[in-house]
């Protein structure tokens, strides 16, 4: 869905048209859209388990952080749209939307603290020839804060999982409804990988 949305293509209410027709309506080259879709699976997975701390920080920013910076606003707009259309028949969508927004409210400042404070310190430590002095003392202080915040967002993701019955779209859900539930399912999986790399590789 993200690739189609990036081109402005409607896969929901206008999703019954062929790709060629949809592209013609927006003056797009269908081959460019197909190439973008194919490139999603063509990218090799990096060997993040063997990276240095500095390399792993870069990997986290260019993959998981970049994904969240793009995905969180997209899901907010989608949640608002689906709740507006289906909220009367599915009042649980209001709590789902509220829980998602709580996740976003936790993640946005968390990412900023990592990018502006912790990750630059890790890069400095990785390149240092002698022990650098940090204003907060040990790296353990910001790391312990990040790990507590990981636990908090994990609890919120588990609550969202329960509220959506394991991200199962109801029978009367449209394509946007499906996309709304697919998005948090992928968000949950990506965040689990993200936290694993930090908690179990980078932070130790």
């Amino acid at each position: 869905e993200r690739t189609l949305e990036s081109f402005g293509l409607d896969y929901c209410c206008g999703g019954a048209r062929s790709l060629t027709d949809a592209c013609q309506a927006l003056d797009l080259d269908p081959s460019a859209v197909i190439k973008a879709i194919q490139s999603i699976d063509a990218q090799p997975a990096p060997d993040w388990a063997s990276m240095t701390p500095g390399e792993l920080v870069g990997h986290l920013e260019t993959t998981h952080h970049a994904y969240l910076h793009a995905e969180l606003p997209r899901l907010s707009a989608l949640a608002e749209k689906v709740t507006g259309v289906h909220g009367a028949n599915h009042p649980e969508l209001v709590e789902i939307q509220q829980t998602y927004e709580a996740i976003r409210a936790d993640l946005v400042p968390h990412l900023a603290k990592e990018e502006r404070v912790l990750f630059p310190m890790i890069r400095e430590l990785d390149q240092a020839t002698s022990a650098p002095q940090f204003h907060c003392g040990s790296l353990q202080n910001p790391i312990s804060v990040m790990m507590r915040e990981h636990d908090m967002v994990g609890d919120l993701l588990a609550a969202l999982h329960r509220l959506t019955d394991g991200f199962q779209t109801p029978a009367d859900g449209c394509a946007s409804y499906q996309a709304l539930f697919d998005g948090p399912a992928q968000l949950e999986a990506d965040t689990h990988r993200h936290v694993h790399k930090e908690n179990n590789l980078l932070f130790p």
Side-chain angles (χ1 to χ4, degrees), residues 162-181:
R162 290 191 299 272
L163 287 168
T164 58
D165 191 26
F167 308 111
Q168 296 297 311
T169 307
D172 61 341
C174 65
S176 291
Y177 208 130
Q178 179 71 54
L180 174 63
F181 277 34

Side-chain angles (χ1 to χ4, degrees), residues 70-93:
E71 187 71 351
L72 293 174
R74 185 187 83 90
L75 288 179
S76 283
L78 201 52
E80 183 176 0
K81 174 183 177 181
V82 173
T83 302
V85 173
H86 295 278
N89 293 331
H90 293 277
E92 70 276 6
L93 280 169

Side-chain angles (χ1 to χ4, degrees), residues 155-166:
D155 290 342
L156 286 168
L157 284 166
L160 188 62
H161 194 106
R162 290 191 299 272
L163 287 168
T164 58
D165 191 26

Side-chain angles (χ1 to χ4, degrees), residues 3-202:
T3 302
L4 295 176
E5 287 172 2
S6 71
F7 284 97
L9 291 165
D10 181 3
Y11 57 83
C12 182
C13 300
R17 295 178 295 172
S18 70
L19 179 62
T20 300
D21 291 342
C23 287
Q24 284 177 348
L26 295 174
D27 197 25
L28 294 171
D29 179 3
S31 64
V33 178
I34 292 170
K35 185 176 180 180
I37 293 170
Q38 290 173 335
S39 72
I40 295 170
D41 295 325
Q43 300 165 0
D47 183 15
W48 43 264
S50 64
M51 293 179 179
T52 66
E55 290 169 341
L56 185 52
V57 161
H59 164 75
L60 290 165
E61 287 182 331
T62 58
T63 53
H64 301 292
H65 284 223
Y67 161 78
L68 288 169
H69 286 310
E71 187 71 351
L72 293 174
R74 185 187 83 90
L75 288 179
S76 283
L78 201 52
E80 183 176 0
K81 174 183 177 181
V82 173
T83 302
V85 173
H86 295 278
N89 293 331
H90 293 277
E92 70 276 6
L93 280 169
V94 174
E95 190 174 0
I96 289 170
Q97 183 180 14
Q98 290 170 344
T99 304
Y100 167 72
E101 289 302 334
I103 292 169
R104 183 181 180 187
D106 269 18
L107 281 173
V108 169
H110 177 87
L111 298 177
K113 283 183 280 189
E114 287 190 336
E115 292 167 6
R116 298 172 190 170
V117 180
L118 180 58
F119 286 1
M121 293 167 67
I122 291 173
R123 285 190 173 101
E124 183 180 349
L125 181 64
D126 192 40
Q127 296 171 3
T129 55
S130 60
Q133 297 296 314
F134 298 120
H135 67 279
C136 60
S138 168
L139 275 181
Q140 187 58 47
N141 296 323
I143 284 174
S144 62
V145 173
M146 295 299 100
M147 292 185 74
R148 284 197 299 272
E149 292 181 1
H150 287 169
D151 290 342
M152 290 168 59
V153 77
D155 290 342
L156 286 168
L157 284 166
L160 188 62
H161 194 106
R162 290 191 299 272
L163 287 168
T164 58
D165 191 26
F167 308 111
Q168 296 297 311
T169 307
D172 61 341
C174 65
S176 291
Y177 208 130
Q178 179 71 54
L180 174 63
F181 277 34
D182 286 348
Q186 293 165 10
L187 175 68
E188 180 186 59
D190 187 85
T191 302
H192 287 168
R193 289 191 297 271
H194 183 175
V195 169
H196 164 67
K197 292 173 187 178
E198 292 188 359
N199 283 9
N200 301 315
L201 290 174
L202 180 64

